[in-house]
Amino acid sequence: MALVRPTSYLDYIKDIAIPEIGDSHNNEDLDRICNKYQFDTLIHISNKFQIPQFADLAVRYNIKRVIMISSTYGLKQGDIYNNEMMDKENYAAKLFEEHNIEYIFLRPTAVYGTRPDGVPDRNISVFTKYIKKLPLFPLFGGGKATVSPVTGREVGRALYTCLTKFDELKGQRLIVAGPTMTFKELIIKLGKENSKKVRFIYFPRWFGKFIFYSLYYVSFTKCDYREKYDRLV
């Protein structure tokens, strides 16, 4: 069974799963579906910030196996201040262990590519948009930070592997990553894919930090790109 939005493109799943229309944020929809079906396995691939909600659902309906898409946000490195994803993972893992629920967390790096309905993914595609619009692409710290972008199809293969080899992989938090490259190399690659020669303008790392932290305070905390910038560099 697949929980889908009313606007979801169903052609690629209707022959392999039973679509149920609903809102993953709506506990009434989730309760209705869980009462209708007797699940033994829950695969969560919607918003990663809903991990605690789906962990509670698994406990409530005594679901025995859970595979959850999380994020490399959960990896605290350097001066990245916000580790909310790790808190959510730890909350869910504690619940699962207390109720004898077996689990796997999958942490994809930045996902890129086009979804089956033709809509670009919202992560790396943001940079593609800037490449197309800006005459000069800003690079902070020389663009030397390494990234390992992964396609949605590769994340799907990882989910399938977790499901078919669950007993071998259970209890782990696994990273799904593509080939490692510098951020500058990624932007050049995206430019080539969109037939655009990218020209760069370089800024020191401290200057970007000054800009985004200033924006946070000037906007009275409404525009908060600090954690994204910290991860990017």
Side-chain angles (χ1 to χ4, degrees):
M1 193 287 296
L3 174 64
V4 298
R5 300 181 182 92
T7 56
S8 290
Y9 178 82
L10 301 181
D11 284 359
Y12 66 102
I13 65 165
K14 63 184 181 182
D15 294 330
I16 57 173
I18 303 167
E20 284 279 354
I21 304 296
D23 181 351
S24 66
H25 292 86
N26 187 329
N27 282 325
E28 290 184 2
D29 280 348
L30 297 177
D31 287 335
R32 169 179 58 81
I33 291 167
C34 284
N35 282 316
K36 181 175 179 180
Y37 301 91
Q38 298 299 314
F39 295 120
D40 63 359
T41 303
L42 167 66
I43 302 175
H44 159 256
I45 61 171
S46 61
N47 191 323
K48 55 186 172 288
F49 294 107
Q50 292 177 262
I51 284 175
Q53 178 191 6
F54 278 93
D56 292 338
L57 185 75
V59 170
R60 203 155 65 242
Y61 288 93
N62 197 29
I63 296 172
K64 298 300 183 184
R65 302 190 304 172
V66 176
I67 302 172
M68 286 193 156
I69 290 288
S70 181
S71 170
T72 48
Y73 279 30
L75 302 175
K76 188 173 179 64
Q77 296 178 350
D79 57 356
I80 296 175
Y81 71 96
N82 186 344
N83 208 16
E84 186 181 359
M85 283 310 304
M86 185 62 78
D87 294 338
K88 294 184 185 301
E89 277 189 22
N90 289 339
Y91 170 85
K94 184 180 179 183
L95 267 187
F96 295 151
E97 288 160 8
E98 288 174 350
H99 292 84
N100 297 316
I101 296 172
E102 296 175 336
Y103 65 89
I104 299 171
F105 287 109
L106 272 182
R107 297 165 166 171
T109 56
V111 180
Y112 77 101
T114 303
R115 302 193 319 228
D117 56 3
V119 177
D121 188 270
R122 296 178 189 176
N123 293 312
I124 297 296
S125 65
V126 171
F127 299 126
T128 302
K129 180 177 69 174
Y130 292 146
I131 288 168
K132 291 179 178 179
K133 287 185 176 181
L134 299 177
L136 296 171
F137 191 93
L139 274 187
F140 298 96
K144 296 176 182 177
T146 54
V147 291
S148 303
V150 63
T151 66
R153 189 173 295 277
E154 288 165 338
V155 177
R157 290 195 191 103
L159 279 166
Y160 179 78
T161 300
C162 286
L163 187 61
T164 55
K165 298 184 177 181
F166 189 89
D167 289 339
E168 296 175 39
L169 299 173
K170 64 185 179 184
Q172 297 190 66
R173 309 186 193 197
L174 306 171
I175 295 173
V176 189
T180 298
M181 63 189 79
T182 66
F183 181 69
K184 182 177 180 179
E185 288 171 337
L186 170 64
I187 297 303
I188 293 171
K189 172 182 168 68
L190 293 175
K192 288 180 179 178
E193 290 176 358
N194 290 275
S195 303
K196 175 78 181 284
K197 181 175 175 58
V198 183
R199 292 178 171 83
F200 296 101
I201 181 169
Y202 296 88
F203 297 101
R205 179 173 171 174
W206 66 262
F207 183 68
K209 196 174 188 78
F210 171 77
I211 290 174
F212 290 107
Y213 277 68
S214 297
L215 181 63
Y216 173 73
Y217 293 111
V218 169
S219 68
F220 298 100
T221 72
K222 290 182 179 179
C223 294
D224 190 2
Y225 297 101
R226 297 173 300 164
E227 191 263 350
K228 289 183 179 180
Y229 176 76
D230 287 341
R231 281 189 299 109
L232 192 62
V233 298

